[in-house]
Amino acid sequence: MAVGPNRDELRTWSQYIRDSLIPELKDGSEVALATNILEEVRSFLYELRTTYVDVDILRYSRLHAALKEVCMMGDRWPITIVLPAKALLRAWEVRYGPLSDITTDLWGPGGRLEGLVKLTDSGKLSQDDNPRRNSSPVMTARRPKSTKSSWSVEGRNAPSYAMRSGHNGFNVGDWWIKPAAAYRDGIIHGSTNGITADVEGAYAIFMTDNEEVEIGEENMFRYWASHKESGCLQLIKNVHSRGLVRVLRGWRLCSRLAPKAGLRYDGLYHVSGYGVKLTVNIVGEDEWQYSFVLKRYRDQAGLDKALCHPTADEMDDWKDYKQTRDSISDDNEGVQSPTHQEGDKKVMDWMQNNAGQIGSGGFKTP
C-alpha cells in the first residue's frame, strides 16, 4: 500500500479545505474556485484512496469532517471532487463505524480541557462529568440546573505566569473553550472575566457582556469597569508606564469583534487614557464607573489573524464540549447569537442612556 500524505499533511489539507476553501465558496453564489485549486483537491482525494487512514488519523486530522462538509455543499463543487469524497466517507464508515463518533478527547493529555475541575457551591472539587470518561475514578452525578459552579485548575498553586507583560509566548488568535483553560495556560490570572493585575500594574483584560464600547476609530475601543472591579487602579498605572496589556474577547461580549464561541486572544494594547464618573447602574444605584481607552499595539500580527478564530476544528471541540456536558443553561454558555445577546435590553438601554456622559468631559484622558 502506498504511503501517501502523513497525518500532519492530512490535517493541513483538512484545515485548508474547511477554513479557506469552503468559506470562500459560502461568501457568494457567484464565487468559483480557481481551476488549479480544484485540480489540486481532486488529485489529493484520489491519492487518499491508496493512503492508510485509521481512526486515530481521522481523529487527529478531522479529514472526515472536511469531506462531509464538501459533500453537504456538493452543488458548489465539481462532481469529480464530490464523488471520491463520498466514496471515501462510505469506505471509512464501513471500516470504522459511524464517523460522528470520532471526536477528540478534550479532557485527555494535551486536550483543550486537560486539568480543568469544577468547584460546586457545596465546596467540593470534582472532575468534569464527561460521559466519555467512564474509566475515571472520580465521577459525580449531574448537578441540578439551578446549581451555580465555578472552575479551577488541578495543581495550580504556583504564582501565575500571567503576571508578566507582553505576549508571554502566546500568539494572536489563540483560542480556548473556557476561561479556566486560559487561566491554566497562564494568559490570564483567574477563571472569570476582568483584569489580571498585581501591585506593579495590569497585564491582561478578558472582556465579556457590555464591557467594550466602540469609539469610531480602527483598533481602538473603550473598556468599561465598575469601581468594584479588582485591577482598575493598577490599569491606571499602565497609562503612565505605557505598559501593554493582553486583550481577550469572549463569546458573550457585545461586540462585532467577539468570537462566536469560547474566548480568543486579540493581541497587545496600550492603555492611552482613562476616566471616572459617578453614574447610575442598571438597578438604579449610584456607582463609580471607570472608562479606559485602549489602542492596539502596531508591532504585532494584525487583528484579521485573530478574527479567523475559532476555526472549524475549534468549533468542533466547542460543539463536542456542549454535547458531552449537556448543560447549556447550567453553565450559561453557548454560541453567540448574531444579535449579540439582543435579549439583554435593560443593560443595553442603560449603556445608551449613559453613553453621552461616558464620552464627555466627565472622563479625563491624560
Side-chain angles (χ1 to χ4, degrees):
M1 181 177 292
V3 176
N6 61 39
R7 65 202 305 262
D8 290 318
E9 292 171 335
L10 293 176
R11 184 174 187 173
T12 298
W13 263 105
S14 175
Q15 293 171 343
Y16 175 55
I17 291 172
R18 300 181 77 193
D19 295 328
S20 297
L21 301 185
I22 288 178
E24 187 174 341
L25 287 173
K26 287 181 178 179
D27 279 345
S29 58
E30 301 302 322
V31 174
L33 298 176
T35 303
N36 63 316
I37 293 177
L38 293 174
E39 180 58 29
E40 288 176 356
V41 175
R42 187 194 68 80
S43 299
F44 168 67
L45 294 180
Y46 275 85
E47 187 179 13
L48 272 180
R49 296 183 303 174
T50 56
T51 300
Y52 176 72
V53 178
D54 60 18
V55 172
D56 287 336
I57 291 176
L58 288 177
R59 180 178 292 110
Y60 176 77
S61 68
R62 315 197 190 208
L63 195 55
H64 58 298
L67 299 193
K68 182 179 179 181
E69 291 185 34
V70 168
C71 295
M72 287 176 62
M73 50 186 305
D75 59 328
R76 311 294 295 278
W77 292 88
I79 195 69
T80 54
I81 288 178
V82 175
L83 287 182
K86 288 183 176 180
L88 285 165
L89 291 174
R90 283 196 298 268
W92 291 336
E93 195 148 54
V94 168
R95 190 178 308 164
Y96 305 123
L99 299 180
S100 59
D101 291 342
I102 302 176
T103 57
T104 302
D105 183 5
L106 299 177
W107 286 265
R112 295 190 190 275
L113 301 178
E114 180 186 8
L116 267 61
V117 290
K118 178 177 56 187
L119 184 63
T120 67
D121 57 359
S122 64
K124 294 181 179 179
L125 201 63
S126 65
Q127 290 184 344
D128 193 275
D129 49 335
N130 178 9
R132 289 201 174 95
R133 298 187 69 185
N134 294 328
S135 60
S136 172
V138 182
M139 296 295 290
T140 59
R142 181 171 292 126
R143 296 177 287 106
K145 295 291 184 180
S146 59
T147 303
K148 295 182 179 180
S149 67
S150 59
W151 289 77
S152 187
V153 180
E154 290 177 326
R156 194 67 165 156
N157 297 320
S160 176
Y161 184 65
M163 299 301 186
R164 304 179 187 180
S165 60
H167 290 296
N168 275 7
F170 296 99
N171 298 310
V172 173
D174 282 349
W175 180 88
W176 296 266
I177 289 178
K178 297 181 68 66
Y183 165 58
R184 173 201 62 199
D185 293 346
I187 192 170
I188 55 176
H189 184 63
S191 57
T192 59
N193 63 302
I195 302 170
T196 293
D198 61 15
V199 294
E200 300 297 326
Y203 308 101
I205 303 172
F206 167 39
M207 301 186 298
T208 64
D209 300 322
N210 308 291
E211 295 175 343
E212 178 181 355
V213 177
E214 294 185 24
I215 58 178
E217 295 187 38
E218 192 68 23
N219 292 321
M220 291 183 67
F221 67 90
R222 193 183 300 276
Y223 169 61
W224 284 50
S226 166
H227 72 283
K228 300 176 183 178
E229 171 66 52
S230 174
C232 285
L233 296 180
Q234 289 88 339
L235 192 56
I236 291 175
K237 289 184 179 181
N238 288 55
V239 177
H240 306 289
S241 69
R242 302 295 294 168
L244 299 171
V245 294
R246 298 180 293 276
V247 168
L248 294 90
R249 290 180 168 93
W251 71 269
R252 295 186 64 192
L253 181 66
C254 296
S255 167
R256 62 184 177 84
L257 300 177
K260 61 182 178 180
L263 64 152
R264 183 190 65 219
Y265 175 44
D266 285 354
L268 297 172
Y269 283 73
H270 290 288
V271 187
S272 60
Y274 76 95
V276 62
K277 188 178 182 68
L278 185 64
T279 61
V280 179
N281 63 24
I282 59 176
V283 295
E285 300 172 343
D286 289 344
E287 181 175 88
W288 289 103
Q289 190 80 32
Y290 283 89
S291 172
F292 298 91
V293 176
L294 283 89
K295 184 174 183 179
R296 199 167 191 275
Y297 181 53
R298 290 184 178 181
D299 191 17
Q300 63 181 327
L303 192 57
D304 56 332
K305 180 176 177 61
L307 297 179
C308 294
H309 296 266
T311 63
D313 286 0
E314 290 163 347
M315 285 303 300
D316 285 346
D317 291 344
W318 171 269
K319 293 173 183 177
D320 187 49
Y321 166 70
K322 299 310 302 178
Q323 290 174 358
T324 56
R325 285 281 298 149
D326 190 27
S327 57
I328 293 178
S329 60
D330 167 65
D331 276 344
N332 196 24
E333 293 181 345
V335 176
Q336 182 188 57
S337 68
T339 54
H340 301 290
Q341 295 182 306
E342 61 185 359
D344 199 2
K345 187 175 184 302
K346 185 176 182 181
V347 174
M348 293 306 295
D349 287 346
W350 177 80
M351 293 282 286
Q352 293 170 1
N353 293 336
N354 287 272
Q357 297 176 1
I358 298 300
S360 69
F363 283 95
K364 66 176 182 177
T365 303

